[in-house]
Amino acid sequence: MIGSPITPQGVIERKRGIGKVEVEVKNMQSDKDREEDMDRLSDLPDFVLLHIMKFMSMKHAVQTCVLSKRWKELWKRLTNLALHSSDFADLAHFSKFLSWVLSNRDSSISLHSLDLRRKGCIDHELLDMIMGYAVSHDVQQLAIEVNLNVKFGFKLHPSIFSCEGDCAEPFSTCHVLNTLVLDRCNLHHGAKFLCICNSNLSSLTIGSTTQETPYKFVLSTPNLRSLSVMRDPIHQLSACDLSFLEQVNIDVEAYFNAHFQRTHLALISLLQVLADYVKTMILSSSTLKILNGLSTSGSMITQIPCFVQLKSLKLKMKSSSSISDEGVSRIVEYLLKKCPLAKVDVINCRE
């Protein structure tokens, strides 16, 4: 006999043996592939890696320093800092990490954004340090969501918010600020004017205030392109130059009884300031309701100005709006007399 016959069982055993070898080879290849993938990632230019890292929390971005020598210093050049307490077991570890990051980051590089979030209270001195760091590094976007125990009389960093005399001028030192949203903003220490003085600002949204005595807005924003006024009409507004203003969005509400007349006058005053500049104007159904009320109050409607540059008038209508179609038609007809070049679009919106 040349050899003993190979039983089916023997074939199966050999196949199993080959299978084990194949699996081991595949596992070895997987490890190698992972190493090659890491090599390919490290071969990317720094600006690509930094772009990827900006989508990480700061804790995870710092942890990349252990990957290789190439990554050790890379996180220090990030321009977007996401500092979230949810990544840490307690406030003590979070506070220590914040101080360490700000101390070790490359201070020669400006900040694009700083996003600080803490569910709970934070040490006032630490918050002041963070805000001071943001200002000194020309931050463009600053988001802070923390709880403050105001009974200690803590004041926000003076480089961001300051008030002298009757006028508060909070944003003149924010040289790269381009988008500003003010909502439920009150003035203190007897200030009567809120001066928004910023040559870089392009988008401004003004919401409501809980302050009983209205204050006056003064705009010195030569590059402002978009203005939104929400809920409360601005009671008094003055502006020295809005030549670049493209779009105005007005979504205000009428307040009855003692404030009804004030709301009408404030809306007319706002329209008069904007009339020479705006190219696109968006009016909500609640704003149209106020204008409709003006149309039934005699001479007040005639105070609505001519919009000499207006090219587009957009009406945002809600299904729950209490203004009738007849009322809308009446206001549109009157506005078109004031802006003969404008095209009217009706936008039906959900609640």
Side-chain angles (χ1 to χ4, degrees):
M1 296 179 61
I2 298 176
S4 60
I6 300 176
T7 63
Q9 182 66 28
V11 174
I12 294 175
E13 289 177 352
R14 290 183 182 182
K15 286 185 177 180
R16 285 180 178 174
I18 294 173
K20 290 179 181 178
V21 173
E22 289 177 345
V23 170
E24 290 175 358
V25 171
K26 288 180 179 179
N27 287 336
M28 292 173 61
Q29 289 175 341
S30 297
D31 292 337
K32 185 177 180 181
D33 289 341
R34 281 195 291 269
E35 291 177 1
E36 291 178 352
D37 288 341
M38 179 57 68
D39 290 340
R40 284 197 292 268
L41 186 62
S42 296
D43 287 341
L44 293 173
D46 284 357
F47 76 91
V48 175
L49 296 178
L50 289 168
H51 179 76
I52 295 172
M53 292 170 69
K54 83 174 186 178
F55 297 102
M56 303 178 181
S57 70
M58 200 59 205
K59 178 181 180 181
H60 294 148
V62 170
Q63 288 174 341
T64 62
C65 69
V66 302
L67 296 177
S68 67
K69 291 182 179 179
R70 166 80 186 286
W71 291 81
K72 186 176 181 180
E73 306 291 329
L74 197 59
W75 72 268
K76 298 181 180 180
R77 295 162 53 194
L78 283 170
T79 59
N80 302 76
L81 306 186
L83 306 169
H84 300 165
S85 65
S86 58
D87 295 328
F88 297 86
D90 52 47
L91 178 59
H93 287 87
F94 181 51
S95 299
K96 185 177 181 180
F97 177 78
L98 292 182
S99 300
W100 184 85
V101 165
L102 299 186
S103 299
N104 288 276
R105 181 181 175 270
D106 188 343
S107 60
S108 66
I109 299 177
S110 298
L111 279 177
H112 179 266
S113 69
L114 190 151
D115 183 4
L116 173 65
R117 300 184 186 275
R118 156 70 179 159
K119 292 184 178 179
C121 293
I122 192 171
D123 182 75
H124 293 170
E125 293 182 357
L126 179 62
L127 178 59
D128 189 67
M129 180 188 71
I130 294 169
M131 296 180 73
Y133 185 92
V135 171
S136 65
H137 289 78
D138 298 324
V139 67
Q140 297 181 41
Q141 298 177 11
L142 178 62
I144 297 178
E145 184 178 326
V146 297
N147 291 341
L148 286 178
N149 193 341
V150 295
K151 72 179 182 180
F152 292 125
F154 174 75
K155 295 181 180 180
L156 295 176
H157 198 280
S159 297
I160 296 182
F161 297 101
S162 61
C163 177
E164 297 181 2
D166 290 341
C167 180
E169 190 175 330
F171 308 105
S172 59
T173 59
C174 302
H175 302 297
V176 290
L177 179 69
N178 55 48
T179 301
L180 177 62
V181 179
L182 297 174
D183 192 24
R184 295 175 176 83
C185 178
N186 297 334
L187 301 185
H188 299 282
H189 305 296
K192 299 176 182 178
F193 300 87
L194 177 58
C195 182
I196 302 175
C197 180
N198 193 292
S199 60
N200 195 63
L201 190 68
S202 62
S203 176
L204 173 62
T205 298
I206 301 176
S208 62
T209 176
T210 57
Q211 191 165 316
E212 181 63 26
T213 304
Y215 50 83
K216 301 175 183 179
F217 282 84
V218 180
L219 300 186
S220 180
T221 50
N223 288 301
L224 190 68
R225 297 181 180 274
S226 174
L227 173 65
S228 296
V229 181
M230 320 302 289
R231 290 189 293 278
D232 289 343
I234 300 174
H235 301 301
Q236 279 190 291
L237 173 70
S238 62
C240 58
D241 183 13
L242 295 174
S243 56
F244 285 95
L245 187 64
E246 291 288 336
Q247 178 175 293
V248 170
N249 181 11
I250 304 177
D251 183 7
V252 296
E253 300 176 2
Y255 294 93
F256 296 96
N257 302 324
H259 299 294
F260 189 73
Q261 183 79 0
R262 191 177 76 181
T263 301
H264 282 177
L265 293 173
L267 181 56
I268 290 177
S269 175
L270 175 63
L271 294 175
Q272 289 173 343
V273 172
L274 303 175
D276 291 339
Y277 307 104
V278 61
K279 285 82 174 176
T280 298
M281 185 161 63
I282 304 171
L283 302 178
S284 68
S285 52
S286 58
T287 306
L288 292 174
K289 183 179 179 180
I290 299 175
L291 295 175
N292 186 48
L294 289 175
S295 67
T296 61
S297 60
S299 61
M300 192 173 290
I301 189 68
T302 62
Q303 298 180 38
I304 294 179
C306 293
F307 298 90
V308 294
Q309 297 196 62
L310 193 67
K311 300 295 189 295
S312 175
L313 176 62
K314 299 181 180 182
L315 311 178
K316 295 181 68 174
M317 306 301 300
K318 295 181 179 179
S319 57
S320 62
S321 174
S322 58
I323 184 173
S324 64
D325 292 341
E326 180 183 355
V328 174
S329 298
R330 180 166 56 249
I331 292 302
V332 170
E333 182 180 358
Y334 187 84
L335 288 175
L336 286 177
K337 294 179 182 178
K338 299 289 186 174
C339 48
L341 301 178
K343 175 186 175 183
V344 179
D345 293 309
V346 177
I347 306 171
N348 293 315
C349 303
R350 295 181 177 179
E351 296 303 317

